[in-house]
Amino acid sequence: MAVYTEVTDDDLARLIAEYGLGELMSYKGIAEGVENTNYMVHTSKGTFILTLYERRVNTADLPYFMGLLEHLNKEGVSCPLPVRNRNGEVLTEISGRTAAIVTFLEGVWVRGPKTAHCHAVGRALAELHLAGKSFPMSRPNALGLAGWHDINERLGERADEIAPGLGTLINYELAYLDRAWPRTLPTGVIHADLFPDNVFFIGEKLSGLIDFYFACNDAWAYDLAISLNAWCFETDCAFNATKARALVTGYQSLRPLTAAERIAFPVLARGAALRFLLTRALDWLHTDRNALVKPHDPIAYVRRLRFHQEVTSPAEYGLEPAE
C-alpha cells in the first residue's frame, strides 16, 4: 500500500461528506505495498481506509472484490467492509482515480510469525474458503499457469540479469508444471496473496484479513500452498516444518484436505513459489531503484522453489496420508 496519487484536503473533505462519514479530521498516506494508493482517514465518525486504484488494477474486477468483501463480512469473516455513499454506491472517483472507502481493522501484521500465528492463519484461510462457497460471483485467476507463461515471455532473456541461470530454471519449472499441474481439485474463492502483511493480529489473536485485490476462483489447496510459502520459511529461507504443521493443522481443523489435495500439495507448493518468483522478478526489473517502495527480492523465491523441488512426500509439509 503506497502513495502514488496525491489527494487535496478539499477533495477529500467533499468525498467524506458524500459518504456521510462526518467531518474530516486528518489523513495520511500508507507507504507500504506496491499496487494501489492508500490513505488512513480519520473523521468525526471513526477511522477508514481510502484506496485509489492505480493502473495495475483492472477496474472491471472491482465489483467482484467489493462484493466479496461484503459477502465475507456477512458470513462472519473479519475483513474490511466497503462503505457505501449516500447513493448506495461503493465505488467513486477522486484525483482522477477510481476509489473506495472501507472500514479500518485494528491490529498489526507480525514481522516474525510464531507457530500460533501460523495456526491462526491456516484456520482463517479455511474460514474464508468455506464462507466463499456461497458467493455468487466468479473471477478467473489471471496469475494462474497461463499467466505465468505470459510473465515469462515478458521477462525474456532479462531473467539472467537477476541471477545466472534463472531463465533456465523458470523454463524448466514451467515445462514441469504444464505436465504435473492438477486440474480437478476442489475450487472456490481464494485470497491468493495471504502474506503476513495482509493479516492483522492483536497479540497472537488474529483480528482480520486485508488486501483482497488478487482474490479469484481457483483451487483451495493452492491458496494454502501460497500461504505455506509466505509463512513457513525463515528470513534465511530455511523451511520451518513446525510452522508448516501448525498452518495445515489450523486449516484442516475446519476443512480437511481431500486425498487428491494432499497428493498434489508438493506440486502446488512449487507452483506457488514460481508464481511469486515470476511477479517479483518482473517488478525487480521494472521498478525504479529510487522508488519509495522497493520491490521484493525474487531470490528468496528461487530458494523456496529449490526446496520444493527436493520434497518427496506431502508429509514433509505436515500433511499425513489421508485415512
Side-chain angles (χ1 to χ4, degrees), residues 2-81:
V3 177
Y4 301 105
T5 302
E6 300 288 340
V7 300
T8 68
D9 297 0
D10 289 343
D11 284 347
L12 184 53
R14 280 194 292 269
L15 187 68
I16 294 303
E18 291 174 8
Y19 279 78
L21 296 178
E23 180 183 355
L24 176 64
M25 308 297 288
S26 66
Y27 66 101
K28 63 179 180 179
I30 303 174
E32 292 184 357
V34 296
E35 293 297 324
N36 302 307
T37 291
N38 287 265
Y39 290 92
M40 182 180 295
V41 180
H42 301 280
T43 80
S44 57
K45 290 192 176 181
T47 302
F48 303 88
I49 300 296
L50 167 67
T51 298
L52 284 68
Y53 299 103
E54 301 296 342
R55 292 179 176 84
R56 289 178 62 167
V57 174
N58 184 352
T59 55
D61 290 330
L62 292 176
Y64 175 92
F65 301 143
M66 297 295 106
L68 177 60
L69 290 174
E70 290 185 321
H71 175 83
L72 293 176
N73 269 274
K74 290 177 182 177
E75 294 295 319
V77 175
S78 181
C79 61
L81 176 65

Side-chain angles (χ1 to χ4, degrees), residues 198-281:
N198 289 331
V199 183
F200 285 176
F201 284 87
I202 299 175
E204 292 186 350
K205 181 177 175 56
L206 193 150
S207 59
L209 312 178
I210 67 168
D211 201 350
F212 283 74
Y213 299 113
F214 288 102
C216 57
N217 292 70
D218 207 331
W220 286 321
Y222 170 62
D223 208 15
L224 182 60
I226 290 174
S227 297
L228 178 132
N229 274 287
W231 289 83
C232 302
F233 286 83
E234 302 300 335
T235 55
D236 62 356
C237 295
F239 179 67
N240 189 316
T242 302
K243 289 182 179 179
R245 186 172 296 276
L247 180 79
V248 299
T249 298
Y251 185 88
Q252 293 197 108
S253 68
L254 292 182
R255 185 191 165 263
L257 297 178
T258 66
E261 288 174 309
R262 292 166 184 255
I263 293 169
F265 200 79
V267 176
L268 297 173
R270 284 175 71 163
L274 182 64
R275 174 262 191 261
F276 287 96
L277 167 58
L278 285 165
T279 53
R280 290 181 174 189

Side-chain angles (χ1 to χ4, degrees), residues 2 11 27 29 46 48 52 72 84 89 103 119 125 134-136 153 166 168 177 199 207 249 270 287 303 307 317:
D11 284 347
Y27 66 101
F48 303 88
L52 284 68
L72 293 176
R84 291 184 176 270
E89 300 163 332
T103 54
H119 186 278
L125 187 63
S134 54
F135 183 54
E153 289 183 8
L166 181 57
T168 299
L177 292 170
V199 183
S207 59
T249 298
R270 284 175 71 163
T287 300
R303 293 169 180 165
F307 170 83
Y317 298 113

Side-chain angles (χ1 to χ4, degrees), residues 93-224:
E93 185 174 305
I94 186 172
S95 299
R97 295 282 187 268
T98 301
I101 296 175
V102 301
T103 54
F104 174 76
L105 291 181
E106 294 289 347
V108 297
W109 69 272
V110 292
R111 268 65 174 178
K114 300 178 181 178
T115 302
H117 296 121
C118 294
H119 186 278
V121 167
R123 184 177 178 87
L125 187 63
E127 289 177 345
L128 188 162
H129 292 168
L130 294 173
K133 289 174 68 175
S134 54
F135 183 54
M137 299 177 72
S138 180
R139 175 179 179 266
N141 186 358
L143 290 173
L145 187 55
W148 304 342
H149 280 279
D150 291 342
I151 295 173
N152 189 40
E153 289 183 8
R154 292 174 64 188
L155 288 174
E157 296 180 358
R158 294 197 65 195
D160 284 358
E161 294 179 24
I162 299 171
L166 181 57
T168 299
L169 173 65
I170 291 171
N171 288 328
Y172 174 86
E173 277 302 298
L174 284 171
Y176 167 77
L177 292 170
D178 282 338
R179 300 189 303 270
W181 195 252
R183 291 173 171 81
T184 59
L185 298 179
T187 63
V189 171
I190 69 170
H191 185 282
D193 194 36
L194 203 61
F195 278 69
D197 57 347
N198 289 331
V199 183
F200 285 176
F201 284 87
I202 299 175
E204 292 186 350
K205 181 177 175 56
L206 193 150
S207 59
L209 312 178
I210 67 168
D211 201 350
F212 283 74
Y213 299 113
F214 288 102
C216 57
N217 292 70
D218 207 331
W220 286 321
Y222 170 62
D223 208 15
L224 182 60

